Amino acid sequence: MAQWTSAVGAAQLARLLTSQQERPAGPGTRRPPAYRALADGIRLLVLEGRVPVAARLPAERELALSLSVSRTTVAAAYEALRTEGFLESRRGAGSWTAVPAGNPLPARGLEPLPPEALGSMIDLGCAALPAPEPWLTRAVQGALEELPPYAHTHGDYPAGLPALRAMLAERYTARGIPTMPEQIMVTTGAMGAMDAICHLFAGRGERIAVESPSYANILQLMREAGARLVPVAMAEGLDGWDLDRWRQVLRDAAPRLAYVVADFHNPTGALADEDQRRRLVDAARAAGTVLVVDETMSEVRLDPDLDGPAMPRPVCGFDPAGSTVITVGSASKAFWAGMRIGWVRAAPDVVRSLVAARAYADLGTPVLEQLAVNWLMSTGGWEHALGVRRGQARENRDALVAAVRRELPGWEFEVPRGGLTLWVRTGGLSGSRLAEAGERVGVRVPSGPRFGVDGAFEGYVRLPFTVGGAVADEAAVRLAAAARLVETGAAGGAEAPRTFVA
């Protein structure tokens, strides 16, 4: 019986491998043999989770043809991977990826580090900040005071607590978007909302248009749902969407869904203007595509002049009939990642369909956390907590920008006006190899290809505003050390990560 559970085609593996471009070797730099470079490339794809564990690799002859190398080179690379524990084979069953005994399974998304690793590793993988106290504690205390009446019920509210649905509808109405509670469904975080939407609208094999780059965890969720992702390149820098490309993709590919982040895009930080929002809604409506708009970053605006009317109107404001746009929001980015409360704003019939389908998924969202979010929003605590969050993120952003510019002057980026991430071009270095080298010198950073489709963005990394002060300085020092390892082609022998105390 075969031990593999999925397969990677020769053409797909070749695209992933050829995306790992490295800076040309300098004088005196020794290039590894071709088989060694190929083995290292496959190992990196496995360690990053871009090629799953237990995935059947193409036959030696097929991969050799796709890469335009000799079969001997592929055979030697496969043998090296078997020796290192990254490949297993059996006659008649082929070869499939593995991880050596004792190694953790690679994460397909951007999960935070386990607590035991935090003493020696600076985590720039997860774009999440500590809770804005004392507001978390106050919200939980307020929720406990309001809990007794709900404790006498079944506690099952598939659409969400009526009080929170009404509160969220009221907040949209205050933003100039008239909304009824029947247009709101409370979910278990934004990921729960996206999962429900994908299963309702985009069955296996359906096309979903996505920004390129886009949020890694959502891309992976869509892949695992069986969707066919159609990437649409972002405009340069912080200019937002390229509407000519969007119109062409929506017209030619006719995707069932399109997923966008209009407010402080993850990972680039771009903020789409009102004209872009209006034109994208019009293009989606004309193509018959449902436009899913992720607003999880909309309240994480860091430049003070963006308060109030300076922010563009929500995308759903350009869809008064409610037939084209579905909006996803969340408390996790604006307040705290541990507060797993998200929501969907859509037409009432869409909400009813989502609620009906939910019976086969998670049934509902925890009552106590819904009460906590409702307490925050109804008492003014939400705005106070956002003030704390924005101040913390702004200080971290400025510290990280200064540190990276000092330690890595060849890296290029634009400073976003909101959100939690910096999208950095790494001066020609491989983002995948930087991520691997970073693990060895004590800084965890996600590589650019995590945020693309089929190996795009190898020359980028994403840096979140999760550390500040001396920790930001140390993170930049470690990133510079990782960059030197990649530049020199050093394989092993890196300094051990230091325990860092802020």
Side-chain angles (χ1 to χ4, degrees):
M1 179 178 176
Q3 301 299 307
W4 49 272
T5 57
S6 62
V8 180
Q12 179 189 6
L13 184 56
R15 285 197 303 272
L16 292 171
L17 288 166
T18 54
S19 73
Q20 296 175 334
Q21 300 296 327
E22 291 186 88
R23 176 178 294 177
T29 301
R30 295 171 54 190
R31 283 193 174 278
Y35 84 89
R36 183 68 263 172
L38 176 56
D40 287 347
I42 294 174
R43 177 175 53 82
L44 275 175
L45 292 173
V46 173
L47 288 172
E48 282 211 321
R50 290 193 284 142
V51 168
V53 175
R56 187 178 187 272
L57 295 186
E60 295 170 2
R61 188 185 302 276
E62 294 174 7
L63 186 57
L65 287 172
S66 292
L67 293 173
S68 298
V69 300
S70 70
R71 183 177 177 181
T72 302
T73 297
V74 177
Y78 279 13
E79 181 58 34
L81 290 168
R82 277 190 287 268
T83 301
E84 295 163 4
F86 286 94
L87 196 68
E88 295 181 10
S89 305
R90 194 171 68 239
R91 186 178 299 277
S95 299
W96 56 91
T97 56
V99 292
N103 279 37
L105 287 174
R108 301 299 304 275
L110 302 177
E111 292 82 2
L113 280 174
E116 61 270 16
L118 293 177
S120 60
M121 186 75 69
I122 297 176
D123 186 8
L124 296 181
C126 185
L129 290 164
E133 288 288 35
W135 298 104
L136 174 62
T137 299
R138 292 182 183 178
V140 173
Q141 291 171 341
L144 287 172
E145 292 176 1
E146 297 175 7
L147 181 62
Y150 294 93
H152 295 290
T153 73
H154 48 64
D156 186 4
Y157 298 89
L161 291 184
L164 181 55
R165 296 176 73 196
M167 176 57 64
L168 291 168
E170 181 181 318
R171 291 179 67 86
Y172 275 106
T173 301
R175 294 167 66 189
I177 315 296
T179 303
M180 304 179 294
E182 291 79 10
Q183 292 177 262
I184 301 292
M185 181 178 84
V186 181
T187 62
T188 307
M191 292 292 289
M194 285 303 306
D195 184 63
I197 292 167
C198 287
H199 280 88
L200 180 63
F201 285 95
R204 184 165 294 277
E206 292 275 7
R207 294 185 181 94
I208 302 179
V210 296
E211 297 153 326
S212 183
S214 187
Y215 179 38
N217 286 340
I218 293 293
L219 294 180
Q220 189 58 35
L221 182 153
M222 293 174 177
R223 289 188 189 101
E224 294 185 357
R228 297 164 60 192
L229 302 185
V230 182
V232 186
M234 296 285 288
E236 288 296 318
L238 299 178
D239 291 338
W241 300 321
D242 185 326
L243 267 300
D244 290 336
R245 290 175 177 171
W246 269 105
R247 277 196 298 270
Q248 180 180 354
V249 168
L250 293 176
R251 182 182 64 245
D252 296 346
R256 184 73 180 91
L257 285 181
Y259 168 77
V260 297
V261 185
D263 300 301
F264 312 120
H265 176 262
N266 187 353
T268 69
L271 176 65
D273 62 34
E274 290 207 358
D275 183 59
Q276 289 175 320
R277 296 169 190 236
R278 179 185 298 106
R279 292 165 62 195
L280 184 57
V281 172
D282 290 345
R285 184 183 298 113
T289 298
V290 176
L291 187 62
V292 183
V293 181
D294 185 335
E295 283 192 340
T296 55
M297 292 285 187
S298 64
E299 298 201 78
V300 193
R301 49 186 182 269
L302 305 183
D303 288 358
D305 64 310
L306 287 176
D307 288 338
M311 276 291 290
R313 279 186 293 165
V315 178
C316 58
F318 300 96
D319 180 38
S323 59
T324 300
V325 177
I326 296 176
T327 303
V328 172
S330 172
S332 298
K333 295 298 185 185
F335 184 74
W336 184 47
M339 187 68 76
R340 304 305 304 159
I341 298 295
W343 52 86
V344 173
R345 181 200 179 274
D349 61 315
V350 172
V351 168
R352 286 193 296 270
S353 296
L354 289 169
V355 171
R358 191 175 196 177
Y360 307 101
D362 64 351
L363 295 179
T365 303
V367 169
L368 188 62
E369 292 185 23
Q370 292 186 73
L371 288 172
V373 171
N374 189 61
W375 183 92
L376 284 165
M377 292 181 171
S378 62
T379 62
W382 182 260
E383 282 66 32
H384 287 292
L386 283 178
V388 175
R389 166 67 75 241
R390 289 170 183 156
Q392 185 180 23
R394 187 183 305 115
E395 290 178 5
N396 287 356
R397 178 194 64 181
D398 296 345
L400 187 64
V401 164
V404 173
R405 282 177 172 164
R406 181 180 63 251
E407 299 294 336
L408 293 149
W411 288 17
E412 302 172 20
F413 55 86
E414 293 190 40
V415 181
R417 306 183 68 196
L420 292 171
T421 58
L422 200 65
W423 186 237
V424 182
R425 192 192 302 266
T426 57
L429 297 180
S430 161
S432 298
R433 297 180 188 278
L434 278 167
E436 183 192 33
E439 294 273 355
R440 289 190 275 145
V441 298
V443 59
R444 180 176 182 253
V445 57
S447 67
R450 288 287 188 91
F451 305 88
V453 177
D454 276 348
F457 307 109
E458 187 62 59
Y460 290 81
V461 293
R462 190 194 74 170
L463 306 180
F465 312 142
T466 53
V467 296
V471 185
D473 292 337
E474 178 67 12
V477 168
R478 296 186 186 188
L479 284 171
R484 288 192 294 272
L485 287 176
V486 175
E487 285 179 316
T488 59
E495 61 183 291
R498 293 170 285 171
T499 300
F500 185 81
V501 180

